[in-house]
PDB file of all heavy atoms in Angstrom:
ATOM      1  N   GLN A 403      14.692  11.477   6.196  1.00  0.00           N
ATOM      2  CA  GLN A 403      13.433  12.033   6.665  1.00  0.00           C
ATOM      3  C   GLN A 403      12.797  11.006   7.560  1.00  0.00           C
ATOM      4  O   GLN A 403      12.179  11.332   8.536  1.00  0.00           O
ATOM      5  CB  GLN A 403      12.524  12.340   5.428  1.00  0.00           C
ATOM      6  CG  GLN A 403      12.977  13.519   4.645  1.00  0.00           C
ATOM      7  CD  GLN A 403      12.772  14.825   5.334  1.00  0.00           C
ATOM      8  OE1 GLN A 403      11.657  15.146   5.779  1.00  0.00           O
ATOM      9  NE2 GLN A 403      13.870  15.606   5.525  1.00  0.00           N
ATOM     10  N   GLU A 405      14.328   8.618   9.185  1.00  0.00           N
ATOM     11  CA  GLU A 405      15.130   8.526  10.405  1.00  0.00           C
ATOM     12  C   GLU A 405      14.843   9.626  11.347  1.00  0.00           C
ATOM     13  O   GLU A 405      14.795   9.428  12.588  1.00  0.00           O
ATOM     14  CB  GLU A 405      16.635   8.430   9.993  1.00  0.00           C
ATOM     15  CG  GLU A 405      16.940   7.108   9.344  1.00  0.00           C
ATOM     16  CD  GLU A 405      18.430   6.992   9.032  1.00  0.00           C
ATOM     17  OE1 GLU A 405      19.164   7.959   9.083  1.00  0.00           O
ATOM     18  OE2 GLU A 405      18.814   5.833   8.708  1.00  0.00           O
ATOM     19  N   LEU A 410      12.402  11.127  16.506  1.00  0.00           N
ATOM     20  CA  LEU A 410      11.501  12.078  17.159  1.00  0.00           C
ATOM     21  C   LEU A 410      10.255  11.367  17.764  1.00  0.00           C
ATOM     22  O   LEU A 410       9.308  11.946  18.252  1.00  0.00           O
ATOM     23  CB  LEU A 410      11.039  13.161  16.203  1.00  0.00           C
ATOM     24  CG  LEU A 410      12.157  14.142  15.799  1.00  0.00           C
ATOM     25  CD1 LEU A 410      11.607  15.072  14.675  1.00  0.00           C
ATOM     26  CD2 LEU A 410      12.616  15.015  16.953  1.00  0.00           C
ATOM     27  N   GLY A 411      10.244  10.042  17.623  1.00  0.00           N
ATOM     28  CA  GLY A 411       9.201   9.214  18.204  1.00  0.00           C
ATOM     29  C   GLY A 411       7.910   9.264  17.489  1.00  0.00           C
ATOM     30  O   GLY A 411       6.841   9.019  18.046  1.00  0.00           O
ATOM     31  N   GLN A 416       1.923   8.454  11.297  1.00  0.00           N
ATOM     32  CA  GLN A 416       2.177   9.911  11.393  1.00  0.00           C
ATOM     33  C   GLN A 416       3.273  10.328  10.459  1.00  0.00           C
ATOM     34  O   GLN A 416       3.191  11.316   9.797  1.00  0.00           O
ATOM     35  CB  GLN A 416       2.658  10.236  12.866  1.00  0.00           C
ATOM     36  CG  GLN A 416       1.496   9.993  13.869  1.00  0.00           C
ATOM     37  CD  GLN A 416       2.063  10.052  15.291  1.00  0.00           C
ATOM     38  OE1 GLN A 416       3.165   9.710  15.561  1.00  0.00           O
ATOM     39  NE2 GLN A 416       1.194  10.524  16.191  1.00  0.00           N
ATOM     40  N   HIS A 420       2.159  13.017   7.677  1.00  0.00           N
ATOM     41  CA  HIS A 420       2.510  14.404   7.942  1.00  0.00           C
ATOM     42  C   HIS A 420       3.873  14.838   7.294  1.00  0.00           C
ATOM     43  O   HIS A 420       4.120  15.964   7.028  1.00  0.00           O
ATOM     44  CB  HIS A 420       2.598  14.666   9.474  1.00  0.00           C
ATOM     45  CG  HIS A 420       1.250  14.572  10.120  1.00  0.00           C
ATOM     46  ND1 HIS A 420       0.335  15.573  10.129  1.00  0.00           N
ATOM     47  CD2 HIS A 420       0.707  13.515  10.786  1.00  0.00           C
ATOM     48  CE1 HIS A 420      -0.748  15.177  10.724  1.00  0.00           C
ATOM     49  NE2 HIS A 420      -0.600  13.939  11.226  1.00  0.00           N
TER      50      HIS A 420
ATOM     51  N   ARG B 268      24.002   5.074  16.043  1.00  0.00           N
ATOM     52  CA  ARG B 268      22.695   4.652  15.454  1.00  0.00           C
ATOM     53  C   ARG B 268      22.098   3.456  16.193  1.00  0.00           C
ATOM     54  O   ARG B 268      20.925   3.245  16.275  1.00  0.00           O
ATOM     55  CB  ARG B 268      22.934   4.340  13.940  1.00  0.00           C
ATOM     56  CG  ARG B 268      23.158   5.523  13.156  1.00  0.00           C
ATOM     57  CD  ARG B 268      23.605   5.217  11.670  1.00  0.00           C
ATOM     58  NE  ARG B 268      22.546   4.477  11.003  1.00  0.00           N
ATOM     59  CZ  ARG B 268      21.524   5.059  10.332  1.00  0.00           C
ATOM     60  NH1 ARG B 268      21.426   6.321  10.369  1.00  0.00           N
ATOM     61  NH2 ARG B 268      20.642   4.332   9.717  1.00  0.00           N
ATOM     62  N   ARG B 303       9.486   2.891  20.252  1.00  0.00           N
ATOM     63  CA  ARG B 303       9.213   4.319  20.057  1.00  0.00           C
ATOM     64  C   ARG B 303       9.298   5.056  21.380  1.00  0.00           C
ATOM     65  O   ARG B 303       9.866   6.203  21.385  1.00  0.00           O
ATOM     66  CB  ARG B 303       7.744   4.391  19.500  1.00  0.00           C
ATOM     67  CG  ARG B 303       7.446   5.722  18.805  1.00  0.00           C
ATOM     68  CD  ARG B 303       6.147   5.530  18.033  1.00  0.00           C
ATOM     69  NE  ARG B 303       4.998   5.462  18.860  1.00  0.00           N
ATOM     70  CZ  ARG B 303       4.280   6.556  19.192  1.00  0.00           C
ATOM     71  NH1 ARG B 303       4.714   7.745  18.811  1.00  0.00           N
ATOM     72  NH2 ARG B 303       3.203   6.444  19.943  1.00  0.00           N
ATOM     73  N   LEU B 318      15.960  18.171   8.323  1.00  0.00           N
ATOM     74  CA  LEU B 318      14.775  18.963   8.664  1.00  0.00           C
ATOM     75  C   LEU B 318      13.687  18.619   7.724  1.00  0.00           C
ATOM     76  O   LEU B 318      13.900  18.084   6.649  1.00  0.00           O
ATOM     77  CB  LEU B 318      15.120  20.469   8.564  1.00  0.00           C
ATOM     78  CG  LEU B 318      16.145  20.959   9.522  1.00  0.00           C
ATOM     79  CD1 LEU B 318      16.348  22.516   9.330  1.00  0.00           C
ATOM     80  CD2 LEU B 318      15.733  20.712  10.988  1.00  0.00           C
ATOM     81  N   HIS B 321       9.039  20.933   4.201  1.00  0.00           N
ATOM     82  CA  HIS B 321       7.753  21.596   3.939  1.00  0.00           C
ATOM     83  C   HIS B 321       7.229  22.313   5.191  1.00  0.00           C
ATOM     84  O   HIS B 321       6.105  22.885   5.080  1.00  0.00           O
ATOM     85  CB  HIS B 321       6.762  20.529   3.465  1.00  0.00           C
ATOM     86  CG  HIS B 321       6.531  19.408   4.445  1.00  0.00           C
ATOM     87  ND1 HIS B 321       7.590  18.631   4.899  1.00  0.00           N
ATOM     88  CD2 HIS B 321       5.451  18.908   4.993  1.00  0.00           C
ATOM     89  CE1 HIS B 321       7.126  17.676   5.717  1.00  0.00           C
ATOM     90  NE2 HIS B 321       5.818  17.837   5.809  1.00  0.00           N
ATOM     91  N   GLU B 338      -1.675  12.587  20.955  1.00  0.00           N
ATOM     92  CA  GLU B 338      -1.934  11.198  21.193  1.00  0.00           C
ATOM     93  C   GLU B 338      -2.500  11.053  22.640  1.00  0.00           C
ATOM     94  O   GLU B 338      -3.433  10.330  22.898  1.00  0.00           O
ATOM     95  CB  GLU B 338      -0.658  10.453  21.108  1.00  0.00           C
ATOM     96  CG  GLU B 338      -0.516   9.694  19.852  1.00  0.00           C
ATOM     97  CD  GLU B 338       0.873   9.064  19.729  1.00  0.00           C
ATOM     98  OE1 GLU B 338       1.198   8.194  20.498  1.00  0.00           O
ATOM     99  OE2 GLU B 338       1.614   9.569  18.867  1.00  0.00           O
TER     100      GLU B 338
END
Side-chain angles (χ1 to χ4, degrees):
Chain A
Q403 292 288 307
E405 290 183 347
L410 293 171
Q416 293 169 328
H420 295 279
Chain B
R268 289 170 63 84
R303 200 164 74 89
L318 294 181
H321 58 305
E338 259 173 67

